[in-house]
Amino acid sequence: METTPTPSPRPVMGLHDLPMWESVKARAMALQRCDDCGEWLYPPGPCCPACLSPRLVWTPVSGRGRILSWVIFHRHYLPAYPPPYNAIAVRLEEGPTMISNLEGAMPGEGCIGRAVRLVYAPMPDGMVLPRWALA
């Protein structure tokens, strides 16, 4: 008997999120960048938080960052994520902070400040998620 994969939790789509998720699906993540002052935005929004300009351009990110913080969950919150699983906060080279998961080994002592690179994780249900791997 064939089993259906547990569906990945779907992103909560705000008014400005679709282009980012389309770029992730294409494995070329882009975030908004202000065309006037150069500030990077995440999460996406209607205007630049630094200068209030509405001139935002979807720009590919470098895919490089550093771990700011991490946690390992031992409780089962989501069907697609059996414990234990990790979540890490990554400061992108461009400035914004993103939360996702570290691929491979679980984070541990001494991982704060470690360099990571963006990877694209295809889920069993076809969803593609941005994840991180130690650089």
Side-chain angles (χ1 to χ4, degrees):
M1 181 164 76
E2 231 177 273
T3 61
T4 305
T6 303
S8 301
R10 291 303 185 238
V12 176
M13 295 297 244
L15 293 174
H16 308 283
D17 294 315
L18 186 59
M20 185 193 78
W21 285 103
E22 287 174 341
S23 71
V24 168
K25 187 176 180 181
R27 292 170 168 77
M29 189 165 76
L31 297 179
Q32 290 175 313
R33 187 171 188 198
C34 180
D35 208 25
D36 288 330
C37 75
E39 183 81 9
W40 289 84
L41 280 74
Y42 181 79
C47 67
C48 176
C51 73
L52 302 181
S53 171
R55 295 174 13 102
L56 304 174
V57 178
W58 287 94
T59 308
V61 296
S62 67
R64 293 184 297 270
R66 294 202 174 270
I67 297 175
L68 291 176
S69 187
W70 60 275
V71 65
I72 296 176
F73 290 95
H74 295 277
R75 199 163 168 199
H76 203 169
Y77 293 102
L78 301 167
Y81 294 93
Y85 67 94
N86 69 68
I88 63 171
V90 171
R91 170 74 40 88
L92 300 179
E93 189 173 80
E94 292 79 7
T97 299
M98 297 187 84
I99 308 294
S100 189
N101 307 99
L102 183 67
E103 291 284 293
M106 292 283 188
E109 297 298 321
C111 75
I112 303 296
R114 294 273 312 263
V116 290
R117 62 182 171 77
L118 180 63
V119 296
Y120 299 96
M123 301 287 95
D125 63 356
M127 180 86 178
V128 176
L129 297 176
R131 297 271 177 92
W132 300 94
L134 293 174

